[in-house]
């Protein structure tokens, strides 16, 4: 329970190392006298490491002599010991308290406002216009978060900017993110744009083509390369056909070519390819459940440890850092950071994968990476994995393919048009 951990920290506890002829007998004698230990671990040299309340340490001395064991204090933890270390560091204590209070107070304000497009680059409004509208509604650097109603702000920004369809606001710490989704173009707007052609955005084999406007240059079954014209915006006039035996008539002048904005859908089969290597000897890190936390304050040139060890006592561990900084004010940045480092003890284990298992694992990873690159709207029609190494190889290499059906058309304005 969390409240028990806090109670133990307030009372203070010791980390002990128990060595000698009979450490297990020592623990049994202590348990018989209602002395509780926790986080008991056995070291490689046969000694035992455990934690006990600081007030129960004196009762362990006769038990150690009785079991012929040696009890050594490795670390003293908890508020009583922490407060003793701070008695001679009043300036550091006051500075830490002021720092934490400043962080708490400053975190209740918005210091950074960002604008993010929701579906591609913004075309109808600019980030500066969104920022100006938000500032007019009270969302600006220095505003208190508790005084802002997110839902009311979203509706107010939508009313101020009729070009947008939806506005979303969320707070992340001292940062406010405004997500803007613009309204779709009206049917008449796209037709008034300058002439353009539709080209292939990637290589593929045409499966279906629907020409709405323009002149189709490919048909189903054709293999196309990236950049090849699929639907041209340059429509050439058609030549009138002459019937057999018809007397020649004076040629009529042909109408000039027309420039239009090509519109249509071109779906094609596209293949994505990737390779990956994987070592059959896998290294796994298994958490043991033990952890240590260090809290320190960093100023230019020095670090002050407020709580926890300077280095973890574990041989193998995984480290996570959480850095808390004061928000910058205009061009002034306070050079003070609060760093919370958590060390998680892990056990390193090795596992030898079978050849088939390694091929399957490498293939699945390659397919997953390829599928992440697929564009929206692409449907997967097939996939394949081929090993490129031998069963006796230590490093397994595979090649994978993903076949999709997708729209490969890309609109490109015609050069020279305005």
């Amino acid at each position: 329970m969390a409240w028990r951990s806090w109670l133990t920290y307030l009372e203070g506890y010791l980390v002990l190392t128990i060595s000698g002829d009979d450490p297990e007998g020592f623990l049994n004698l202590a348990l018989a006298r209602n002395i509780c230990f926790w986080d008991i671990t056995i070291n490689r040299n046969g000694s035992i490491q455990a934690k006990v309340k600081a007030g129960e340490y004196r009762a362990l001395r006769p038990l150690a002599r009785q079991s012929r064991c040696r009890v050594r204090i490795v670390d003293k933890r908890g508020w009583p010991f922490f407060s003793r270390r701070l008695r001679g560091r009043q300036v550091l204590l006051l500075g830490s308290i002021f720092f934490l209070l400043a962080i708490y107070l400053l975190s209740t304000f918005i210091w950074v406002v960002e604008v993010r497009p929701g579906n591609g680059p913004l075309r109808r409004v600019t980030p500066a216009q969104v920022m100006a509208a938000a500032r007019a509604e009270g969302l600006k650097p220095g505003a208190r978060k508790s005084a802002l109603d997110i839902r009311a702000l979203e509706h107010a920004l939508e009313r101020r900017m009729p070009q947008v369809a939806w506005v979303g606001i969320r707070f992340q710490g001292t940062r406010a993110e405004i997500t803007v989704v613009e309204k779709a173009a009206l049917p008449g707007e796209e037709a008034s744009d300058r002439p353009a052609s539709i080209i292939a955005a990637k290589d593929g084999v045409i499966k279906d083509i629907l020409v709405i406007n323009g002149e189709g240059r490919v048909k189903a079954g054709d293999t196309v390369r990236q950049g090849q014209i699929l639907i041209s915006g340059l429509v050439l006039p058609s030549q009138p056909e002459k019937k057999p035996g018809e007397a020649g008539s004076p040629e009529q002048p042909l109408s000039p070519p027309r420039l239009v904005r090509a519109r249509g859908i071109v779906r094609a089969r596209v293949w994505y390819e990737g390779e990956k290597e994987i070592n059959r000897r896998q290294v796994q890190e298994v958490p043991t459940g033990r952890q240590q936390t260090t809290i320190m304050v960093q100023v230019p040139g020095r670090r002050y440890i407020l709580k926890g060890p300077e280095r973890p006592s574990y041989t193998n561990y995984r480290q996570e850092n959480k850095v808390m900084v004061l928000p910058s004010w205009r061009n002034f940045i306070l050079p003070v950071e609060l760093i919370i480092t958590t060390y998680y003890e892990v056990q390193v284990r090795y596992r030898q994968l079978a050849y088939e298992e390694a091929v399957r694992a490498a293939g699945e990873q390659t397919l997953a990476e390829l599928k992440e690159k697929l564009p929206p709207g692409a449907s997967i029609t097939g996939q394949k994995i081929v090993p490129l190494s031998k069963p006796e190889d230590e490093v397994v290499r595979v090649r994978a393919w993903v076949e999709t059906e997708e729209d490969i058309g890309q609109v490109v304005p015609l050069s020279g048009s305005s």
Side-chain angles (χ1 to χ4, degrees):
M1 297 292 290
W3 64 272
R4 292 183 179 177
S5 301
W6 279 105
L7 183 61
T8 303
Y9 178 80
L10 293 176
E11 293 178 353
Y13 64 96
L14 306 174
V15 181
L16 307 177
T17 298
I18 307 164
S19 59
D21 296 337
D22 190 11
E24 291 82 1
F26 170 81
L27 293 179
N28 293 331
L29 291 174
L31 293 175
R33 288 164 175 77
N34 294 326
I35 300 177
C36 297
F37 294 89
W38 68 93
D39 289 349
I40 302 174
T41 57
I42 301 178
N43 300 323
R44 296 179 179 178
N45 57 5
S47 61
I48 295 178
Q49 181 172 309
K51 298 177 182 178
V52 68
K53 292 182 179 180
E56 298 177 345
Y57 176 74
R58 291 182 177 273
L60 299 178
R61 295 181 178 177
L63 303 181
R65 292 192 296 268
Q66 182 178 350
S67 58
R68 298 180 180 180
C69 291
R70 181 187 176 191
V71 180
R72 184 169 61 91
I73 299 176
V74 178
D75 194 7
K76 300 177 180 179
R77 302 177 183 176
W79 174 251
F81 307 108
F82 179 67
S83 60
R84 290 177 188 174
R85 288 196 291 266
L86 289 179
R87 287 177 184 174
R89 304 180 182 177
Q90 287 83 0
V91 176
L92 177 61
L93 177 60
L94 293 176
S96 301
I97 294 175
F98 173 78
F99 174 76
L100 295 175
L101 289 176
I103 289 179
Y104 173 76
L105 292 176
L106 292 176
S107 64
T108 60
F109 292 86
I110 293 295
W111 299 110
V112 179
V113 180
E114 295 180 348
V115 178
R116 298 178 55 187
N119 54 353
L122 298 178
R123 301 182 183 275
R124 296 168 171 266
V125 294
T126 63
Q129 292 174 335
V130 179
M131 295 281 287
R135 190 179 299 109
E137 295 295 336
L139 179 56
K140 57 185 178 180
R144 185 183 292 273
K145 290 191 291 187
S146 59
L148 301 175
D149 186 349
I150 294 180
R151 296 292 174 262
L153 282 173
E154 293 173 349
H155 295 317
L157 293 181
E158 291 174 2
R159 290 193 300 269
R160 282 182 173 268
M161 297 179 293
Q163 305 94 329
V164 302
W166 177 81
V167 175
I169 301 175
R170 67 172 181 172
F171 297 150
Q172 288 188 336
T174 60
R175 178 183 287 104
E177 291 184 357
I178 306 175
T179 304
V180 179
V181 177
E182 295 179 322
K183 292 182 179 179
L186 298 176
E189 291 180 348
E190 187 175 355
S192 62
D193 291 341
R194 60 179 180 174
S197 295
I198 296 179
I199 66 172
K202 57 191 69 174
D203 301 345
V205 177
I206 302 299
K207 185 174 182 182
D208 297 304
I209 178 170
L210 173 63
V211 179
I212 300 176
N213 196 20
E215 187 175 278
R217 296 291 180 87
V218 295
K219 61 182 182 301
D222 289 350
T223 300
V224 297
R225 297 293 182 183
Q226 182 180 4
Q228 182 176 342
I229 296 178
L230 305 177
I231 303 177
S232 176
L234 177 62
V235 181
L236 301 176
S238 58
Q239 293 280 356
E241 297 183 359
K242 294 183 178 180
K243 298 181 181 180
E246 184 179 358
S249 57
E251 295 185 357
Q252 298 179 356
L254 298 176
S255 58
R258 294 185 300 114
L259 292 178
V260 299
R261 184 177 183 86
R263 296 177 57 208
I265 301 174
V266 184
R267 296 191 64 83
R269 297 168 60 196
V270 181
W271 288 266
Y272 297 84
E273 178 183 343
E275 292 187 8
K276 194 172 189 65
E277 292 184 350
I278 186 173
N279 198 313
R280 295 174 62 180
R281 182 177 173 83
Q282 296 290 306
V283 179
Q284 296 179 334
E285 293 184 349
V286 181
T288 63
R290 300 175 58 191
Q291 67 183 51
Q292 294 178 339
T293 302
T294 301
I295 302 177
M296 65 182 70
V297 174
Q298 177 172 297
V299 296
R302 295 204 62 179
R303 285 187 176 184
Y304 299 95
I305 298 178
L306 304 179
K307 176 187 174 183
E310 183 177 1
R311 290 186 178 87
S313 59
Y314 312 134
T315 305
N316 301 306
Y317 59 89
R318 178 171 53 85
Q319 177 178 335
E320 290 184 0
N321 292 330
K322 183 179 181 182
V323 181
M324 302 175 64
V325 297
L326 289 176
S328 59
W329 175 255
R330 296 189 177 180
N331 295 327
F332 178 71
I333 301 176
L334 293 177
V336 182
E337 294 180 343
L338 179 66
I339 304 175
I340 303 176
T341 304
T342 305
Y343 303 97
Y344 301 94
E345 185 185 30
V346 296
Q347 291 182 350
V348 179
R349 298 178 181 177
Y350 298 93
R351 179 190 176 200
Q352 187 72 16
L353 297 179
Y355 176 74
E356 295 78 7
E357 188 177 4
V359 170
R360 183 171 60 255
E364 290 176 353
Q365 294 178 15
T366 309
L367 290 176
E369 293 175 359
L370 293 176
K371 292 176 182 178
E372 289 180 357
K373 301 177 182 178
L374 299 182
S379 58
I380 298 176
T381 57
Q383 57 188 31
K384 185 179 181 181
I385 300 174
V386 176
L388 303 178
S389 55
K390 300 178 181 179
E392 59 270 15
D393 294 340
E394 186 65 22
V395 177
V396 174
R397 185 162 61 99
V398 301
R399 180 179 297 162
W401 291 269
V402 173
E403 179 183 343
T404 66
E405 181 183 326
E406 58 187 82
D407 188 355
I408 63 171
Q410 178 182 355
V411 178
V412 177
L414 292 175
S415 59
S417 61
S418 58

